[in-house]
């Protein structure tokens, strides 16, 4: 199988994370995914860390200032997500960094910046940010998915799988983490486990069929009878 260009791989990964971050609904973007001959994502809700919220005993003027800061923080996060959705990684990093400047304990901002940084070519720094996000908020399941994707970009498939599994510990029916594990087993040459996990994902959400039928991970399975039955080829 001919190797895909790096830009193609990046497009795959960005579409996956867009869905995870709640930017797109998977059913809405399936036609786009089919045209790109790829995809995968994860539907997880992001939770902003508000650990720096000011004490109610502060003066009204200080409270107003703090409220304005939090509004700006939300604005930066929104802008970061919008930039990520358009593939503008530099803008994503800029806005997420501004959010972190306003609130150094904003776990979500670190997570988004980390993924954008990884997509922009610096996976090591991206992993540092997503790990920082985890340190700040170990319960942010959305960041588990981001970490899985950053590890995937690094080619560290076992680490990636472990973070997908962490998502599933919290949300056992998370379609795109189940599917993510299926793709990892496919890439590792474990066909039986790949198809077992693919079947699990399809049972949760039948739209997975269209994704798997077009994605490179499963290209070599197109003559496999079980795969053809699962995806309806």
């Amino acid at each position: 199988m001919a190797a895909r260009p790096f830009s193609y791989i990046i497009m795959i990964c960005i579409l996956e994370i867009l869905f995870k971050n709640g930017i797109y609904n998977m059913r809405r973007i399936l036609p786009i995914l089919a045209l790109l001959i790829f995809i995968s994502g994860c539907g997880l809700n992001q939770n902003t860390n508000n650990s720096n919220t000011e004490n109610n005993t502060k003066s009204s003027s200080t409270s107003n200032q703090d409220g304005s800061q939090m509004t700006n923080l939300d604005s930066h996060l929104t802008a970061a997500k919008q930039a990520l959705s358009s593939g503008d990684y530099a803008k994503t990093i800029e806005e997420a960094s501004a959010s972190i400047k306003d609130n150094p304990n904003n776990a979500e901002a670190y997570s988004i910046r980390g993924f954008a940084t990884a997509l922009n070519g610096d996976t090591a720094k991206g992993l540092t940010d997503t790990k920082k996000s985890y340190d700040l908020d170990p319960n942010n399941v959305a960041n588990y998915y981001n970490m899985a994707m950053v590890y995937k970009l690094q080619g560290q498939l076992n680490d990636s799988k472990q973070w997908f599994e962490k998502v599933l510990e919290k949300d056992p029916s998370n379609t795109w983490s189940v599917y993510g594990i299926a793709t990892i087993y496919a890439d590792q040459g474990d066909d039986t486990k790949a198809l077992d996990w693919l079947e699990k994902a399809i049972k949760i959400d039948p739209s997975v069929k269209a994704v798997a039928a077009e994605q490179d991970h499963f290209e070599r399975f197109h003559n496999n009878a079980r795969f053809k039955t699962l995806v309806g080829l």
Side-chain angles (χ1 to χ4, degrees), residues 157-176:
L157 298 184
N158 288 331
D159 289 321
S160 178
K161 181 164 70 68
Q162 288 175 6
W163 283 99
F164 282 134
E165 290 169 346
K166 283 183 175 291
V167 174
L168 295 175
E169 288 174 5
K170 301 290 187 179
D171 181 8
S173 296
N174 191 280
T175 306
W176 301 102

Side-chain angles (χ1 to χ4, degrees), residues 125-183:
K125 188 174 180 180
L127 187 59
T128 297
D129 269 355
T130 52
K131 285 182 175 180
K132 174 68 172 180
S133 176
Y134 179 77
D135 290 340
L136 289 169
D137 184 3
N139 297 314
N140 181 5
V141 183
N143 186 55
Y144 299 177
Y145 188 90
N146 284 5
M147 291 188 74
M149 291 305 306
V150 173
Y151 276 122
K152 209 173 185 185
L153 281 171
Q154 289 188 323
Q156 299 187 49
L157 298 184
N158 288 331
D159 289 321
S160 178
K161 181 164 70 68
Q162 288 175 6
W163 283 99
F164 282 134
E165 290 169 346
K166 283 183 175 291
V167 174
L168 295 175
E169 288 174 5
K170 301 290 187 179
D171 181 8
S173 296
N174 191 280
T175 306
W176 301 102
S177 290
V178 173
Y179 181 73
I181 292 174
T183 65

Side-chain angles (χ1 to χ4, degrees), residues 30-169:
L30 272 175
I32 300 173
L33 302 180
L35 288 174
L36 293 171
I37 313 186
F38 147 81
I39 22 337
S40 129
C42 175
L44 295 171
N45 293 323
Q46 295 275 6
N47 293 313
T48 302
N49 188 312
N50 291 320
S51 61
N52 278 2
T53 302
E54 297 292 338
N55 192 293
N56 289 332
T57 61
K58 294 209 172 190
S59 67
S60 60
S61 61
T62 302
S63 296
N64 289 336
Q65 181 179 3
D66 294 336
S68 176
Q69 182 177 9
M70 292 306 295
T71 299
N72 290 336
L73 172 63
D74 291 340
S75 177
H76 287 308
L77 281 172
T78 299
K81 291 179 180 180
Q82 290 173 343
L84 184 63
S85 73
S86 64
D88 189 344
Y89 311 135
K91 181 67 172 177
T92 303
I93 295 166
E94 176 187 342
E95 293 292 347
S97 295
S99 180
I100 291 167
K101 183 178 180 180
D102 287 343
N103 178 5
N105 293 321
N106 191 320
E108 184 180 13
Y110 275 107
S111 185
I112 293 172
R113 188 177 75 174
F115 188 75
T117 300
L119 286 174
N120 210 35
D122 192 341
T123 56
K125 188 174 180 180
L127 187 59
T128 297
D129 269 355
T130 52
K131 285 182 175 180
K132 174 68 172 180
S133 176
Y134 179 77
D135 290 340
L136 289 169
D137 184 3
N139 297 314
N140 181 5
V141 183
N143 186 55
Y144 299 177
Y145 188 90
N146 284 5
M147 291 188 74
M149 291 305 306
V150 173
Y151 276 122
K152 209 173 185 185
L153 281 171
Q154 289 188 323
Q156 299 187 49
L157 298 184
N158 288 331
D159 289 321
S160 178
K161 181 164 70 68
Q162 288 175 6
W163 283 99
F164 282 134
E165 290 169 346
K166 283 183 175 291
V167 174
L168 295 175
E169 288 174 5

